[in-house]
Amino acid sequence: MSLALLGFALAVTLEALFQGQTTMWEGVPNWASVILFFFFMSIVGFLEAMQIAFFAVTKMTKDEQGDHYFAKKTCHLLFKGKGRNLPSFMIGRQLCVTLCFFIIARVTTLNVETGTGENIFGVSDPIQNFFNTGLMGAFVTTILGSIAWQLVASAFPIAILSNPLTYILLWFCLLLEWTGIVAGAWVVAAINKKVRGFKRDEEYVGTPEERAAKKHEDHDENLHVGTGHPRIPVQPAGSGEFDLHNVDDDDDEDEDAAKKAEEKAAANEEAAEEKV
């Protein structure tokens, strides 16, 4: 059902683009509008994937981050110093997404005058008025320009990190943040941190390397990894043990039960020997 709705919404949007019936600026050829639509939607989607991949890699040790050239360069740039570039990327990414959606909205919003017989696919005027709200374009960009990319990145974060475009867009987002246009976000975040007493996760659970040294490392082989399922288990701040939502605990419970049974049997044997 969802795919059918997506196909219909995409067909309506493309028909309007090829007919020049959108709010795109005058003078831009129809074919150029189509190219801009897919180009900026792909950029937004890739930025969404980068966000998911970056947060996934923060839970990985350096060895787990892969040995691909661009994966290493991206991680080095992202986490150098005190890791300030990660939140800087988040600010620059949001600004870049906003700019892209400004253009996408112009491209995908239909501007068909009803009552002239030029309705898309010959639909009735009420339906055409519904199309003119821009919801068709919003539906397409939500799936093709956001959710689909996030699902892929959640299952394959290293593949996203290894793409050269990731490194280029990371630099671009950091450059946008460096301009200081939305620097007020830092002030608001600092006030929120001060008021609520937030601390970094590492102060509660340690770094990935520290967790591995304490034999609390993540075990990917126990995770049911698929599209849309995060590779990295979540550790709630301040909790004592990992909350592994995607792990089957049956094997661990069987091992614990067997171990307790062995210990009880050994204790019984010792008690019998003492009586003798």
Side-chain angles (χ1 to χ4, degrees), residues 255-273:
E255 291 178 2
D256 291 340
K259 187 176 180 180
K260 290 180 180 179
E262 291 177 0
E263 292 176 352
K264 185 176 181 179
N268 291 335
E269 289 179 1
E270 291 179 359
E273 290 176 359

Side-chain angles (χ1 to χ4, degrees), residues 18-258:
F18 281 117
Q19 298 299 326
Q21 295 176 309
T22 69
T23 57
M24 191 59 177
W25 295 285
E26 295 183 4
V28 178
N30 297 340
W31 59 267
S33 298
V34 175
I35 293 176
L36 289 174
F37 169 59
F38 284 105
F39 174 77
F40 283 105
M41 190 166 58
S42 298
I43 294 296
V44 169
F46 208 88
L47 289 171
E48 296 285 352
M50 288 170 60
Q51 175 181 245
I52 299 298
F54 287 171
F55 277 103
V57 80
T58 59
K59 305 298 182 181
M60 299 180 183
T61 63
K62 290 185 178 180
D63 293 336
E64 293 172 335
Q65 292 172 3
D67 56 358
H68 191 277
Y69 175 75
F70 279 103
K72 287 184 174 181
K73 286 183 69 68
T74 299
C75 289
H76 175 73
L77 176 60
L78 193 63
F79 302 119
K80 73 175 183 178
K82 295 185 179 181
R84 181 185 172 89
N85 280 348
L86 178 57
S88 296
F89 161 77
M90 295 300 297
I91 294 175
R93 184 205 75 90
Q94 191 59 51
L95 184 57
C96 186
V97 167
T98 301
L99 294 174
C100 289
F101 268 119
F102 175 74
I103 298 176
I104 292 174
R106 298 284 303 189
V107 173
T108 60
T109 301
L110 275 64
N111 185 26
V112 179
E113 184 177 354
T114 56
T116 61
E118 297 181 357
N119 293 354
I120 300 295
F121 298 142
V123 299
S124 62
D125 289 347
I127 295 179
Q128 183 59 57
N129 287 328
F130 173 75
F131 289 168
N132 288 348
T133 61
L135 287 177
M136 294 292 101
F139 186 75
V140 171
T141 53
T142 298
I143 295 179
L144 297 184
S146 180
I147 298 176
W149 293 79
Q150 292 177 4
L151 293 177
V152 172
S154 68
F156 309 105
I158 300 301
I160 300 298
L161 290 173
S162 302
N163 194 310
L165 184 58
T166 299
Y167 187 69
I168 295 173
L169 287 178
L170 174 57
W171 267 112
F172 182 70
C173 290
L174 292 177
L175 179 62
L176 287 178
E177 190 277 333
W178 175 81
T179 62
I181 297 175
V182 290
W186 288 103
V187 179
V188 175
I191 294 174
N192 194 12
K193 175 186 176 183
K194 186 69 174 179
V195 171
R196 305 185 66 179
F198 288 141
K199 295 182 179 180
R200 292 180 178 272
D201 288 348
E202 286 76 11
E203 295 191 31
Y204 297 105
V205 301
T207 64
E209 288 78 10
E210 291 172 346
R211 295 200 302 272
K214 295 178 181 179
K215 296 183 179 180
H216 290 165
E217 69 275 14
D218 303 328
H219 297 285
D220 285 352
E221 66 273 10
N222 293 332
L223 300 178
H224 302 305
V225 178
T227 303
H229 296 277
R231 285 181 176 272
I232 308 304
V234 176
Q235 166 71 348
S239 62
E241 297 179 352
F242 286 100
D243 183 16
L244 304 181
H245 299 291
N246 296 329
V247 177
D248 187 353
D249 294 329
D250 292 342
D251 294 339
D252 293 338
E253 292 177 356
D254 293 341
E255 291 178 2
D256 291 340

